[in-house]
Amino acid sequence: MAFTQEDARADLVAAPGSEWWRTAVIYQIYPRSFADASGDGLGDLPGVTAHLDDLQQLGVDAIWLSPFQTSPQKDAGYDVADYRDVDPIFGTLADFDAMLADAHKRGIRVIVDLVPNHSSDQHMWFQEALKAAPGSPERARYIFRDGKGENGELPPNNWESVFGGGMWKRVTEADGTPGQWYLHIFDESQPDFDWTNPEVRAEFRDILRFWLDRGVDGFRVDVAHGLVKAEGLPDFTPDPDGGSMGGDAEEVPYWGQPGVHDVWREWHQVLAEYDGDRALCAEAWLPTVAQTALWVRPDEMHQAFNFHYLETEWDATALRDVITESLRAYGEVGAPSTWVLSNHDVVRHASRLALTAENPQGAGIGPRSPGKPDPVKGLRRARAATSMMLALPGSSYLYQGEELGLPEVIDLPDDARQDPTWFRTNGERYGRDGCRVPLPWTADGPAYGFNDTGESWLPQPAEWAELAHDVQVDDPSSTLTLYRSLLAERRARTLGAGHLEWLDQYGDEVVAFRNGSLLVVTNLGDDAVELPAGEVLVASGPLDGERLPTDTTVWIAAA
Ligand code: GLC
């Protein structure tokens, strides 16, 4: 890809707005693993409230909470049974309100996760659908179809679930006979809604209002590319090497269908009725940056996760290209680019950036995986990568624990694993448990300070004592201190609202740019390079005199 400096400038021209979400650093809380006030081994909302001071000191602008609504937890809460309540394992609606008020008091905005593609099979609507007859309005809220074959014994098409196995499950009708099939892109406990049904659309507009009325600042929209399926549900065989959430295929009949844009326009209108720049962020895995940018046109969503950036290998040319293309494509539609390196679905970047084998999205790594990462190299690269990311104009997402430099937990025992991916593939794919292990807050506390009882829904590795928050907080060389310095400097220099200008005097293996008064240089090559003149504000690792060693980023005040 050949991009000019003019392409990279498009971001400034097209994005004159000053809404908070254009520049915010948003910290993802995975509630079950953040902090556990009740002591049952699963994190909860009072646990979040108890650590808001730490998040304020870290310097983030907003938090996004993964689902905490009522759920049988078959997919860690991404299987919602009641969209308007808090699951008792996480607390109560009053706990939510208290958390929200305390966050707002500290100037921290709050985004909640919304899962519109599917519900839990325990949702009242699905239970009603099971009891109702084929063709009934109750069934029409989901995607029920007759099977193929003489007696309907074959699934309606050949689609494969993201979590492994088929995408259809056959039900038993009220009279005890084998009946229709329903579609589930994910686990069979997660039936897909039919978004062509106006009743489904009205229900979700109402759910948006329920949380907006409580004061949330926006929504992270789960599987935003899945809601609408191609007419006639045609057969489709995915590329076996592609990612299961969308991969590179241009035309997938259940991903990125044009009909979703009407839904976002409707939702945009709902949010616009409220004050305070409420925002929608799409979790959409699409083949190109340019396609993803169509989701954030001025009357649709406000942000979309930049998974193209997350998936870019540790290579200077590839990084320059994806950054340039992101600023260009999002800038063209007047949206900020977002940047992200880790979340609850991918191998943590302190491990991923040193992996030496292919690792499709969602596959995870475990004891028998090839190409295990070198942890020292992984952390060095992660620190350099984050230091690059936080200097980019736009909005950045952080995933809880990356500020402690947590690696993926590779050696989880088989019998501790809980991700449906692990079960549905009979252990062929490890899934995502390795990035979801509860956080270490104190080196000496029970469960490293996750709670007071020592319970933990996934076992924490012994090495995490050294990575605990209390060990790092006053250590000038810790990853936590690095994050705090980066965030403070980013805020002071308003880097999120800045403008990127490439510096190309460093050669192919270096990523170097200027954002306002800041010079940022990342060395991805083996040989150390000369530092630019100016005061070193932050360095992601030790410098070699006047030289920048491999896998290191430096922030320098332009002379
Ligand atoms: C999204 C979530 C993931 C979940 C899936 C199904 O990709 O991030 O954790 O399993 O949707 O809801």
Side-chain angles (χ1 to χ4, degrees), residues 87-109:
D87 194 283
I89 62 173
F90 296 120
T92 61
L93 268 178
D95 292 329
F96 176 81
D97 292 340
M99 186 275 302
L100 183 69
D102 275 15
H104 281 168
K105 236 187 278 166
R106 290 171 172 78
I108 297 176
R109 296 185 188 254

Side-chain angles (χ1 to χ4, degrees), residues 431-507:
R432 303 156 298 174
D433 292 315
C435 64
R436 299 174 172 183
V437 173
L439 294 192
W441 289 97
T442 60
D444 300 326
Y448 304 119
F450 175 56
N451 55 26
D452 294 338
T453 59
E455 296 291 319
S456 175
W457 72 279
L458 285 173
Q460 299 158 298
E463 311 85 77
W464 281 22
E466 288 160 37
L467 296 173
H469 188 275
D470 69 341
V471 174
Q472 298 201 34
V473 77
D474 293 321
D475 172 359
S477 68
S478 72
T479 304
L480 181 57
T481 302
L482 172 67
Y483 271 66
R484 284 169 68 167
S485 312
L486 294 168
L487 290 170
E489 204 65 58
R490 174 187 164 94
R491 186 179 293 246
R493 291 173 188 266
T494 57
L495 299 179
H499 168 57
L500 179 141
E501 239 179 281
W502 290 118
L503 305 173
D504 34 22
Q505 65 266 39
Y506 293 96

Side-chain angles (χ1 to χ4, degrees), residues 85-160:
D85 207 350
V86 172
D87 194 283
I89 62 173
F90 296 120
T92 61
L93 268 178
D95 292 329
F96 176 81
D97 292 340
M99 186 275 302
L100 183 69
D102 275 15
H104 281 168
K105 236 187 278 166
R106 290 171 172 78
I108 297 176
R109 296 185 188 254
V110 178
I111 292 178
V112 297
D113 219 306
L114 185 62
V115 188
N117 180 67
H118 47 266
S119 70
S120 158
D121 61 358
Q122 300 307 306
H123 190 284
M124 197 177 65
W125 274 10
F126 193 71
Q127 290 298 313
E128 287 171 4
L130 288 179
K131 285 185 209 119
S136 60
E138 287 82 359
R139 289 235 167 144
R141 294 158 173 163
Y142 293 91
I143 304 178
F144 278 86
R145 293 287 184 278
D146 293 334
K148 286 188 179 160
E150 218 166 298
N151 300 305
E153 70 282 9
L154 300 173
N157 70 20
N158 72 344
W159 296 357
E160 297 265 315

Side-chain angles (χ1 to χ4, degrees), residues 347-348 351 365-367 406-413 417 430-438 458-461 463-464:
V347 173
R348 281 186 176 276
S351 299
I365 47 173
L406 296 186
E408 184 82 358
V409 181
I410 299 172
D411 291 321
L412 281 176
R417 291 192 182 272
Y430 283 101
R432 303 156 298 174
D433 292 315
C435 64
R436 299 174 172 183
V437 173
L458 285 173
Q460 299 158 298
E463 311 85 77
W464 281 22

Side-chain angles (χ1 to χ4, degrees), residues 209-233:
R209 290 203 172 89
F210 176 86
W211 293 102
L212 290 165
D213 288 340
R214 296 198 102 77
V216 304
D217 297 286
F219 301 89
R220 176 265 186 191
V221 182
D222 190 62
V223 197
H225 58 317
L227 273 56
V228 177
K229 281 77 181 172
E231 190 80 37
L233 311 179

Side-chain angles (χ1 to χ4, degrees), residues 223-292:
V223 197
H225 58 317
L227 273 56
V228 177
K229 281 77 181 172
E231 190 80 37
L233 311 179
D235 276 355
F236 172 73
T237 306
D239 168 4
D241 301 327
S244 53
M245 282 293 274
D248 299 329
E250 288 289 326
E251 284 291 335
V252 183
Y254 41 90
W255 294 142
Q257 294 295 308
V260 290
H261 296 285
D262 289 344
V263 179
W264 311 143
R265 290 193 180 104
E266 242 173 63
W267 288 22
H268 186 102
Q269 290 306 322
V270 174
L271 267 71
E273 290 168 21
Y274 289 79
D275 62 359
D277 297 331
R278 319 280 176 116
L280 294 166
C281 178
E283 188 220 13
W285 298 80
L286 295 159
T288 64
V289 174
Q291 274 164 286
T292 316

Side-chain angles (χ1 to χ4, degrees), residues 1-15 288-294 296 306 319-339 392-393 499-500 502:
M1 281 190 285
F3 293 106
T4 65
Q5 197 70 32
E6 279 317 299
D7 289 329
R9 273 181 216 283
D11 64 310
L12 247 204
V13 181
T288 64
V289 174
Q291 274 164 286
T292 316
L294 298 179
V296 290
N306 191 339
L319 283 163
R320 274 192 302 266
D321 283 351
V322 73
I323 292 168
T324 305
E325 169 63 355
S326 301
L327 293 173
R328 186 195 65 76
Y330 290 105
E332 238 165 45
V333 293
S337 181
T338 63
W339 312 101
L392 294 171
H499 168 57
L500 179 141
W502 290 118

